[in-house]
Amino acid sequence: MKATGDRFLLDEDDIPTHWYNILADLDVPPMDVRRARAAAPASGQDQARDGYPAQARDLAPNIPLSMYRGSIGKQRHVEIPAEVREQYARWRPTPLVRARRLEQALDTPAHIYYKYEGTNAAGSHKLNSALAQAYFYKKAGVQELTTGTGAGQWGTALSMACQALGLGCTVFMVRRSLEQKPYRGVLMKLNGARVVASPSGSTEIGRELLAAAPGTEGSLAIANAEALEHARTVAHGRFAVGSGENHVLLHQTVIGEEALRQMELAGEFPDIVIASMGAGSNFAGLAFPFHREKLRTHAATRLIAVEPEACPKMTRGRYAWDYNDFSGTTPMTKMYTLGHTFVAPGVHAGGLRYHGAAPLVSALYEQGLMEAVAYGQNAVFEAGALFARTENLVPAPESAHAVRCVIDEAVRAREERTSPVILCNISGHGLLDLSAYDQYLAGGLEDHTVSDEQIADSLADLPEALSAGVAQ
Amino acid sequence: MKATGDRFLLDEDDIPTHWYNILADLDVPPMDVRRARAAAPASGQDQARDGYPAQARDLAPNIPLSMYRGSIGKQRHVEIPAEVREQYARWRPTPLVRARRLEQALDTPAHIYYKYEGTNAAGSHKLNSALAQAYFYKKAGVQELTTGTGAGQWGTALSMACQALGLGCTVFMVRRSLEQKPYRGVLMKLNGARVVASPSGSTEIGRELLAAAPGTEGSLAIANAEALEHARTVAHGRFAVGSGENHVLLHQTVIGEEALRQMELAGEFPDIVIASMGAGSNFAGLAFPFHREKLRTHAATRLIAVEPEACPKMTRGRYAWDYNDFSGTTPMTKMYTLGHTFVAPGVHAGGLRYHGAAPLVSALYEQGLMEAVAYGQNAVFEAGALFARTENLVPAPESAHAVRCVIDEAVRAREERTSPVILCNISGHGLLDLSAYDQYLAGGLEDHTVSDEQIADSLADLPEALSAGVAQ
């Protein structure tokens, strides 16, 4: 490993050997029956009590124990299988870069570093978990994976992982995202995946939704509901999820583990760690290992999640038990949520249009161990465009949320005459999102806001509100 | 530097210190007055004799001597300025990879290697020359560069180089390419460049063409003619060209210099070197250093340029004096050409739709020191799609031409029970060309052919044919 100018690079040998399980260092609310359902199929009885009797009755055990195990106990370090590390070596370790031109453009005394996860063929951090999941599912005898995808980054990553490991793949992609970013669909098809615009006519839940609201733009929760329904019809098929679940967050910690070593190489430790927040895999991937290091060194590092104003689950949501999908077929987990029936306005950061935050990130937030902030689209794209001009790297709209927050902190540092070390994650490139940048440059982006009424409406669909039988 | 599995990586210290000037090892036809015009402005008198009296009368000296010098003499190795090497270090050295999954898919005994030039922010090899040119022009006091671009790779690269070095930038992009690949235009705009669809109403030649043929799709020769006209109107402005010229080919030799060392690292020497052919900068960049090495070791390595059937300048063109632009304002050079008025059908490999081959590549071909082959679109995209599926890297349509030839050679090796070492250049990624892949997957691509009549027509516009005053 070595520092070359502003780039801090690790060798293939430096690819982390272990993922980091934050449960070793975090008190989470006690697991109860609703939580435990993540491991075992929900019974029809439980579902009936929640008011969603039909859909989940035959939900098969989904997650291979070999994969699940490492993400539930208190074991701090979980070994990465050799086969997965070998796959990681196709593009990891990823670079950490000092954004010196951005600093100069902002005339800030802050030191800005970014970790860049867009160097792989899928173009985002999602491949970290996709390859791990494809490996564990294949080992468990699975032959085809199905998933829902918002912006398409998860779907692209899963299609590539399935292609690499010889599994079939079906992707339900949010219709609005597929229309905005058709290229991601092409990428998936090039990888041999079947791509379905969601809501679709090929599932029951999709047909129902299309009948009720023909022009609906879809949401990740809906796409996941369709994928879940579809996966049950496929022999040796399973539903694979790209964020939220403990094991997904676990896989992503390779990002932060590498970044820790790279910051050491740079001779600094971040005062502020910033990442965008969809369901939380990107934020957790970077921030969790720094949480561990903070505990060890008693550093005062701030961890900040950045979400869109159009989907403010942390800044305006409720900490409650909820489902991960629109139809309520998944097990419930405790999370910051806007309600699983919440459909965010169609902003370009499709990967952040998810109604809830991962349970582990939610617990961290509830306990005051991290912060959250929300931005509108124009402020985000302004930041992304400045980053592109200065660092010659177009961030994905999702990642541009983090950049917005970085810029605000750096400008504040200039005004307050402090010089913090800021680290953020550029989770992916925006080369397939350039139409959104074009709209921004042409002044045509809307800053969607969400009304209190809309949030109240979807929160009214929370299982706790529907069923008196299950206490909060 | 080191080999890690199938990847052969160099360190920053291994970035070549010198470009390679093939003139040291190649007999080219004697320079006469027409050739010498590349260095000096054409006089009105000469132009009048060519039948194009008006346009070039006030053509200013264009190329800084500091840049030009290294590409005309017999000096074999031309030092790369430290500032340019520093810029190169932002992404170079680029990887060389053994395409083992492609080999497996083809069940071939051939060893296939590819050099990958798409890892920089502009996404192609073009940045190698763009940065060098921006450096030399800036040193010569130039404040703005103007260019024409076909597929947009050169324009994107130049906009980034200008942004990096603080120069203004105007890009005339072939209208059809801009419509097919709007994202490249956005990238240029993000870099602060002014992007103009060509033919445009903002130049005389553009207005004339639009009046004569309103629906015309444009060509690189037309875009260059507009850029030349525009550059003359800008104070401290110059026209920068992305291929064809000796100095551009010189800059690109960093590709082959690195590849030579990487093949050594792999413990093999290529029997076949393959690259796609627009005007020649990509082909020359990879192949020229191997030509030198062949001379030294007497290796029997074949050098193959791959062009589209829609623009078969080498396989069906004539070796003659011709202009580089549609309106005939540039100096003439001796080249394989279809005539500067040739407008290729609108294939997706926009970067290869250029009527002529670089003089240095043309000389190499004329002397039987290299081969050329042409393919139709569907065969090319079939190859690109297979490469994407196996190597998880979507090649630009231009680069997919090389892949097609690689596959054919590898299949032949299987049939003939030989095991050649094949090296090709993936000059850029196809992430901004996915609509073309989509069309291919949907079966909607046309295989454009060019009639003998069309070629005869445009060859009739060659200066030698127009003017009896200038002998062949």
Side-chain angles (χ1 to χ4, degrees):
Chain A
M1 59 187 197
K2 66 173 178 187
T4 61
D6 291 333
R7 303 175 68 83
F8 302 91
L9 305 174
L10 302 175
D11 290 330
E12 188 177 323
D13 298 341
D14 300 319
I15 294 173
T17 54
H18 292 76
W19 291 305
Y20 166 56
N21 173 21
I22 198 173
L23 281 169
D25 296 310
L26 180 68
D27 282 329
V28 292
M31 306 273 175
D32 72 3
V33 58
R34 291 163 290 175
R35 174 82 196 122
R37 280 194 223 153
S43 75
Q45 171 109 40
D46 287 340
Q47 289 293 325
R49 283 165 59 208
D50 295 340
Y52 291 90
Q55 295 89 339
R57 203 159 281 160
D58 47 356
L59 180 63
N62 193 42
I63 304 174
L65 189 59
S66 58
M67 177 162 78
Y68 188 60
R69 208 160 28 206
S71 67
I72 46 168
K74 287 283 180 186
Q75 189 192 343
R76 184 169 282 109
H77 299 287
V78 179
E79 192 170 2
I80 304 176
E83 294 87 340
V84 175
R85 279 191 87 218
E86 204 174 283
Q87 291 287 342
Y88 282 175
R90 297 180 73 182
W91 81 100
R92 303 206 71 87
T94 62
L96 183 112
V97 183
R98 172 103 179 253
R100 216 179 282 261
R101 290 168 206 233
L102 177 61
E103 291 173 14
Q104 283 159 1
L106 299 171
D107 189 24
T108 178
H111 291 192
I112 302 174
Y113 294 84
Y114 65 91
K115 177 79 170 163
Y116 181 44
E117 286 292 308
T119 59
N120 67 68
S124 85
H125 70 296
K126 293 287 184 186
L127 195 57
N128 295 325
S129 186
L131 278 167
Q133 291 192 42
Y135 165 79
F136 283 115
Y137 277 111
K138 189 182 182 182
K139 232 179 88 176
V142 169
Q143 292 170 8
E144 175 173 331
L145 290 175
T146 302
T147 196
T149 193
Q153 287 172 326
W154 169 244
T156 308
L158 193 68
S159 72
M160 287 190 178
C162 286
Q163 173 75 33
L165 293 171
L167 298 175
C169 186
T170 299
V171 179
F172 287 83
M173 180 161 175
V174 175
R175 183 175 298 277
R176 181 185 169 83
S177 295
L178 192 55
E179 282 162 4
Q180 277 179 345
K181 306 168 215 273
Y183 286 11
R184 287 211 210 274
V186 184
L187 259 188
M188 296 176 219
K189 284 187 269 179
L190 271 175
N191 280 300
R194 187 176 150 237
V195 181
V196 186
S198 166
S200 78
S202 71
T203 67
E204 227 170 282
I205 177 84
R207 283 188 293 271
E208 273 171 34
L209 275 161
L210 285 175
T216 183
E217 296 182 316
S219 73
L220 182 52
I222 294 170
N224 277 340
E226 288 202 84
L228 272 163
E229 186 185 325
H230 172 79
R232 289 197 301 274
T233 69
V234 178
H236 306 288
R238 285 294 182 280
F239 170 75
V241 64
S243 190
E245 299 287 333
N246 289 13
H247 63 271
V248 183
L249 274 54
L250 180 82
H251 301 154
Q252 294 294 353
T253 57
V254 286
I255 303 171
E257 295 291 357
E258 286 181 8
L260 269 174
R261 297 191 62 179
Q262 288 165 310
M263 288 304 303
E264 206 181 311
L265 206 55
E268 308 213 78
F269 192 80
D271 300 298
I272 314 176
V273 173
I274 299 171
S276 63
M277 177 78 196
S281 81
N282 168 52
F283 173 79
L286 179 66
F288 281 6
F290 283 91
H291 171 75
R292 180 190 71 219
E293 195 63 12
K294 273 179 67 176
L295 293 180
R296 197 179 67 80
T297 63
H298 305 286
T301 301
R302 297 163 61 201
L303 311 176
I304 309 179
V306 189
E307 60 186 13
E309 279 177 359
C311 195
K313 70 213 79 171
M314 300 193 86
T315 52
R316 294 172 68 193
R318 186 188 298 171
Y319 193 44
W321 291 96
D322 199 5
Y323 300 107
N324 294 317
D325 71 324
F326 187 84
S327 58
T329 59
T330 64
M332 286 190 290
T333 49
K334 192 146 189 195
M335 57 167 90
Y336 276 88
T337 181
L338 296 160
H340 62 282
T341 58
F342 179 83
V343 178
V347 293
H348 285 283
L352 309 184
R353 289 178 68 229
Y354 185 64
H355 67 280
L360 292 176
V361 176
S362 294
L364 202 69
Y365 188 52
E366 174 70 7
Q367 294 172 34
L369 300 169
M370 60 170 283
E371 305 164 38
V373 61
Y375 288 105
Q377 279 203 110
N378 279 295
V380 163
F381 277 89
E382 183 192 28
L386 178 61
F387 194 87
R389 265 196 294 276
T390 50
E391 297 298 318
N392 268 354
L393 190 174
V394 184
E398 291 81 2
S399 315
H401 282 74
V403 175
R404 174 76 263 173
C405 183
V406 166
I407 290 174
D408 284 3
E409 292 291 340
V411 167
R412 192 145 67 107
R414 180 184 68 209
E415 287 163 358
E416 298 180 354
R417 293 166 188 261
T418 59
S419 53
V421 175
I422 304 174
L423 167 66
C424 77
N425 195 23
I426 304 297
S427 54
H429 66 66
L431 290 178
L432 304 187
D433 305 277
L434 284 169
S435 60
Y437 276 93
D438 204 19
Q439 258 182 274
Y440 162 73
L441 289 174
L445 276 192
E446 251 186 279
D447 275 323
H448 298 281
T449 49
V450 178
S451 69
D452 291 339
E453 288 73 25
Q454 188 189 345
I455 294 178
D457 277 358
S458 56
L459 287 177
D461 289 338
L462 282 175
E464 67 197 67
L466 285 182
S467 165
V470 180
Q472 150 82 29
Chain B
M1 61 186 196
K2 66 175 176 186
T4 62
D6 291 332
R7 302 173 69 82
F8 302 91
L9 306 174
L10 302 176
D11 291 331
E12 188 178 321
D13 299 340
D14 300 319
I15 294 173
T17 54
H18 292 75
W19 291 305
Y20 166 56
N21 174 20
I22 198 172
L23 282 169
D25 298 311
L26 181 66
D27 282 328
V28 292
M31 306 276 173
D32 71 5
V33 59
R34 291 162 291 175
R35 174 80 196 124
R37 280 194 222 153
S43 74
Q45 170 112 42
D46 287 341
Q47 289 293 324
R49 284 167 56 209
D50 295 340
Y52 290 92
Q55 294 92 339
R57 203 159 284 158
D58 48 359
L59 179 63
N62 193 42
I63 304 173
L65 188 61
S66 59
M67 178 163 77
Y68 189 58
R69 208 160 29 206
S71 66
I72 45 166
K74 287 283 181 185
Q75 189 192 342
R76 184 170 282 109
H77 299 288
V78 179
E79 193 170 2
I80 304 176
E83 294 88 340
V84 175
R85 278 190 88 217
E86 206 174 281
Q87 292 287 344
Y88 282 175
R90 296 180 73 182
W91 82 100
R92 305 206 69 87
T94 62
L96 182 112
V97 184
R98 170 102 180 252
R100 216 178 283 263
R101 290 169 207 232
L102 177 61
E103 291 173 15
Q104 283 159 1
L106 298 172
D107 190 22
T108 178
H111 291 192
I112 302 174
Y113 294 84
Y114 64 91
K115 178 79 170 161
Y116 180 44
E117 286 291 307
T119 60
N120 67 69
S124 85
H125 70 295
K126 293 287 185 185
L127 196 56
N128 295 324
S129 185
L131 279 166
Q133 292 192 42
Y135 164 79
F136 283 114
Y137 277 112
K138 189 182 182 182
K139 232 179 90 178
V142 169
Q143 292 171 9
E144 176 174 329
L145 290 175
T146 302
T147 197
T149 193
Q153 287 172 327
W154 167 245
T156 307
L158 192 68
S159 73
M160 287 190 178
C162 287
Q163 172 75 32
L165 293 173
L167 299 174
C169 186
T170 299
V171 179
F172 287 84
M173 180 161 173
V174 175
R175 185 175 297 276
R176 181 185 169 86
S177 294
L178 192 56
E179 283 162 4
Q180 277 179 346
K181 305 168 214 273
Y183 286 12
R184 286 210 211 272
V186 183
L187 259 188
M188 295 176 219
K189 284 188 267 178
L190 272 174
N191 280 301
R194 187 176 150 238
V195 181
V196 186
S198 167
S200 78
S202 70
T203 66
E204 226 172 283
I205 177 84
R207 283 189 293 271
E208 272 171 36
L209 274 162
L210 286 174
T216 182
E217 297 182 316
S219 73
L220 182 52
I222 295 170
N224 278 340
E226 288 203 84
L228 272 164
E229 184 184 325
H230 172 81
R232 288 198 301 274
T233 69
V234 178
H236 305 288
R238 284 294 182 281
F239 170 75
V241 64
S243 191
E245 299 288 333
N246 289 13
H247 62 273
V248 182
L249 273 53
L250 179 82
H251 301 153
Q252 294 295 353
T253 57
V254 287
I255 304 171
E257 294 291 357
E258 286 180 10
L260 269 174
R261 297 191 62 178
Q262 288 165 310
M263 288 304 304
E264 204 182 313
L265 206 54
E268 309 212 78
F269 192 81
D271 299 298
I272 313 176
V273 173
I274 299 171
S276 63
M277 177 79 196
S281 81
N282 169 52
F283 173 80
L286 179 66
F288 280 7
F290 284 90
H291 171 75
R292 181 190 69 219
E293 195 63 11
K294 274 179 65 177
L295 293 180
R296 196 179 69 80
T297 63
H298 305 286
T301 301
R302 297 164 58 201
L303 311 176
I304 308 179
V306 189
E307 60 185 13
E309 278 177 0
C311 195
K313 70 212 77 170
M314 300 192 85
T315 51
R316 295 174 67 195
R318 185 187 301 170
Y319 193 44
W321 291 95
D322 199 5
Y323 300 107
N324 296 316
D325 71 323
F326 187 83
S327 58
T329 59
T330 63
M332 287 189 290
T333 48
K334 191 144 189 198
M335 57 167 88
Y336 276 87
T337 181
L338 296 161
H340 61 282
T341 57
F342 179 82
V343 177
V347 293
H348 285 284
L352 308 185
R353 289 178 67 229
Y354 184 64
H355 67 280
L360 292 177
V361 176
S362 294
L364 203 68
Y365 188 52
E366 175 69 7
Q367 294 172 33
L369 299 169
M370 59 171 285
E371 306 165 36
V373 60
Y375 288 106
Q377 280 204 108
N378 280 295
V380 163
F381 277 89
E382 182 192 30
L386 178 62
F387 193 86
R389 265 196 295 277
T390 50
E391 297 298 317
N392 267 354
L393 190 174
V394 183
E398 290 81 3
S399 314
H401 282 73
V403 175
R404 174 74 264 171
C405 183
V406 166
I407 290 175
D408 285 2
E409 291 291 339
V411 167
R412 193 146 64 108
R414 182 185 68 210
E415 287 163 357
E416 297 179 355
R417 294 166 191 260
T418 59
S419 52
V421 176
I422 304 174
L423 167 65
C424 76
N425 195 24
I426 304 297
S427 54
H429 65 66
L431 291 177
L432 304 186
D433 305 278
L434 284 168
S435 61
Y437 276 95
D438 204 18
Q439 256 182 277
Y440 163 72
L441 290 174
L445 276 192
E446 251 184 278
D447 276 323
H448 298 281
T449 48
V450 179
S451 67
D452 291 338
E453 288 72 24
Q454 189 188 345
I455 294 178
D457 278 356
S458 56
L459 286 179
D461 290 337
L462 282 176
E464 66 198 66
L466 284 183
S467 164
V470 180
Q472 151 82 28

